[in-house]
PDB file of all heavy atoms in Angstrom:
ATOM      1  N   ILE A 255     129.829  96.703 249.129  1.00 89.00           N
ATOM      2  CA  ILE A 255     129.600  97.707 250.177  1.00 89.00           C
ATOM      3  C   ILE A 255     128.148  98.149 250.110  1.00 89.00           C
ATOM      4  O   ILE A 255     127.719  98.753 249.123  1.00 89.00           O
ATOM      5  CB  ILE A 255     130.538  98.921 249.984  1.00 89.00           C
ATOM      6  CG1 ILE A 255     131.994  98.460 249.882  1.00 89.00           C
ATOM      7  CG2 ILE A 255     130.362  99.912 251.117  1.00 89.00           C
ATOM      8  CD1 ILE A 255     132.935  99.547 249.411  1.00 89.00           C
ATOM      9  N   LEU A 256     127.391  97.834 251.129  1.00 88.00           N
ATOM     10  CA  LEU A 256     125.981  98.216 251.161  1.00 88.00           C
ATOM     11  C   LEU A 256     125.861  99.635 251.689  1.00 88.00           C
ATOM     12  O   LEU A 256     125.584  99.857 252.865  1.00 88.00           O
ATOM     13  CB  LEU A 256     125.188  97.266 252.062  1.00 88.00           C
ATOM     14  CG  LEU A 256     124.652  96.005 251.418  1.00 88.00           C
ATOM     15  CD1 LEU A 256     123.672  95.311 252.342  1.00 88.00           C
ATOM     16  CD2 LEU A 256     123.998  96.286 250.086  1.00 88.00           C
ATOM     17  N   LEU A 257     126.111 100.561 250.806  1.00 87.00           N
ATOM     18  CA  LEU A 257     126.097 101.964 251.186  1.00 87.00           C
ATOM     19  C   LEU A 257     125.901 102.721 249.881  1.00 87.00           C
ATOM     20  O   LEU A 257     126.648 102.529 248.942  1.00 87.00           O
ATOM     21  CB  LEU A 257     127.447 102.312 251.808  1.00 87.00           C
ATOM     22  CG  LEU A 257     127.643 103.693 252.388  1.00 87.00           C
ATOM     23  CD1 LEU A 257     126.725 103.894 253.575  1.00 87.00           C
ATOM     24  CD2 LEU A 257     129.084 103.837 252.843  1.00 87.00           C
ATOM     25  N   GLY A 258     124.866 103.553 249.824  1.00 87.00           N
ATOM     26  CA  GLY A 258     124.623 104.243 248.560  1.00 87.00           C
ATOM     27  C   GLY A 258     123.962 105.589 248.756  1.00 87.00           C
ATOM     28  O   GLY A 258     123.892 106.113 249.866  1.00 87.00           O
ATOM     29  N   GLY A 259     123.473 106.125 247.654  1.00 85.00           N
ATOM     30  CA  GLY A 259     122.887 107.455 247.663  1.00 85.00           C
ATOM     31  C   GLY A 259     121.706 107.586 248.616  1.00 85.00           C
ATOM     32  O   GLY A 259     121.509 108.632 249.228  1.00 85.00           O
ATOM     33  N   ASP A 260     120.921 106.515 248.728  1.00 83.00           N
ATOM     34  CA  ASP A 260     119.761 106.598 249.615  1.00 83.00           C
ATOM     35  C   ASP A 260     120.181 106.798 251.065  1.00 83.00           C
ATOM     36  O   ASP A 260     119.506 107.500 251.825  1.00 83.00           O
ATOM     37  CB  ASP A 260     118.908 105.327 249.490  1.00 83.00           C
ATOM     38  CG  ASP A 260     118.190 105.269 248.156  1.00 83.00           C
ATOM     39  OD1 ASP A 260     118.408 106.191 247.346  1.00 83.00           O
ATOM     40  OD2 ASP A 260     117.427 104.318 247.930  1.00 83.00           O
ATOM     41  N   ASN A 261     121.296 106.170 251.443  1.00 85.00           N
ATOM     42  CA  ASN A 261     121.793 106.355 252.813  1.00 85.00           C
ATOM     43  C   ASN A 261     122.156 107.806 253.053  1.00 85.00           C
ATOM     44  O   ASN A 261     121.984 108.328 254.152  1.00 85.00           O
ATOM     45  CB  ASN A 261     123.045 105.497 253.048  1.00 85.00           C
ATOM     46  CG  ASN A 261     122.805 104.046 252.728  1.00 85.00           C
ATOM     47  OD1 ASN A 261     122.579 103.704 251.575  1.00 85.00           O
ATOM     48  ND2 ASN A 261     122.839 103.196 253.723  1.00 85.00           N
ATOM     49  N   MET A 262     122.674 108.456 252.009  1.00 87.00           N
ATOM     50  CA  MET A 262     123.093 109.846 252.163  1.00 87.00           C
ATOM     51  C   MET A 262     121.885 110.757 252.350  1.00 87.00           C
ATOM     52  O   MET A 262     121.889 111.638 253.208  1.00 87.00           O
ATOM     53  CB  MET A 262     123.890 110.287 250.941  1.00 87.00           C
ATOM     54  CG  MET A 262     125.130 109.430 250.762  1.00 87.00           C
ATOM     55  SD  MET A 262     126.125 109.969 249.409  1.00 87.00           S
ATOM     56  CE  MET A 262     127.295 108.625 249.396  1.00 87.00           C
ATOM     57  N   ASP A 263     120.851 110.539 251.541  1.00 86.00           N
ATOM     58  CA  ASP A 263     119.650 111.364 251.684  1.00 86.00           C
ATOM     59  C   ASP A 263     119.019 111.155 253.056  1.00 86.00           C
ATOM     60  O   ASP A 263     118.527 112.090 253.682  1.00 86.00           O
ATOM     61  CB  ASP A 263     118.648 111.024 250.581  1.00 86.00           C
ATOM     62  CG  ASP A 263     119.200 111.353 249.205  1.00 86.00           C
ATOM     63  OD1 ASP A 263     120.038 112.266 249.120  1.00 86.00           O
ATOM     64  OD2 ASP A 263     118.818 110.690 248.234  1.00 86.00           O
ATOM     65  N   LEU A 264     119.045 109.896 253.504  1.00 86.00           N
ATOM     66  CA  LEU A 264     118.468 109.601 254.816  1.00 86.00           C
ATOM     67  C   LEU A 264     119.273 110.277 255.929  1.00 86.00           C
ATOM     68  O   LEU A 264     118.716 110.810 256.890  1.00 86.00           O
ATOM     69  CB  LEU A 264     118.442 108.086 255.018  1.00 86.00           C
ATOM     70  CG  LEU A 264     117.497 107.565 256.087  1.00 86.00           C
ATOM     71  CD1 LEU A 264     116.058 107.938 255.748  1.00 86.00           C
ATOM     72  CD2 LEU A 264     117.616 106.057 256.218  1.00 86.00           C
ATOM     73  N   ALA A 265     120.599 110.276 255.766  1.00 89.00           N
ATOM     74  CA  ALA A 265     121.454 110.907 256.770  1.00 89.00           C
ATOM     75  C   ALA A 265     121.141 112.400 256.870  1.00 89.00           C
ATOM     76  O   ALA A 265     121.068 112.959 257.972  1.00 89.00           O
ATOM     77  CB  ALA A 265     122.928 110.699 256.410  1.00 89.00           C
ATOM     78  N   LEU A 266     120.927 113.029 255.716  1.00 89.00           N
ATOM     79  CA  LEU A 266     120.576 114.453 255.717  1.00 89.00           C
ATOM     80  C   LEU A 266     119.239 114.676 256.405  1.00 89.00           C
ATOM     81  O   LEU A 266     119.077 115.601 257.201  1.00 89.00           O
ATOM     82  CB  LEU A 266     120.475 114.963 254.280  1.00 89.00           C
ATOM     83  CG  LEU A 266     121.733 115.453 253.608  1.00 89.00           C
ATOM     84  CD1 LEU A 266     121.397 115.983 252.235  1.00 89.00           C
ATOM     85  CD2 LEU A 266     122.385 116.539 254.436  1.00 89.00           C
TER      86      LEU A 266
END
Side-chain angles (χ1 to χ4, degrees):
Chain A
I255 307 168
L256 273 191
L257 185 65
D260 289 2
N261 306 66
M262 300 183 187
D263 296 332
L264 199 61
L266 273 183

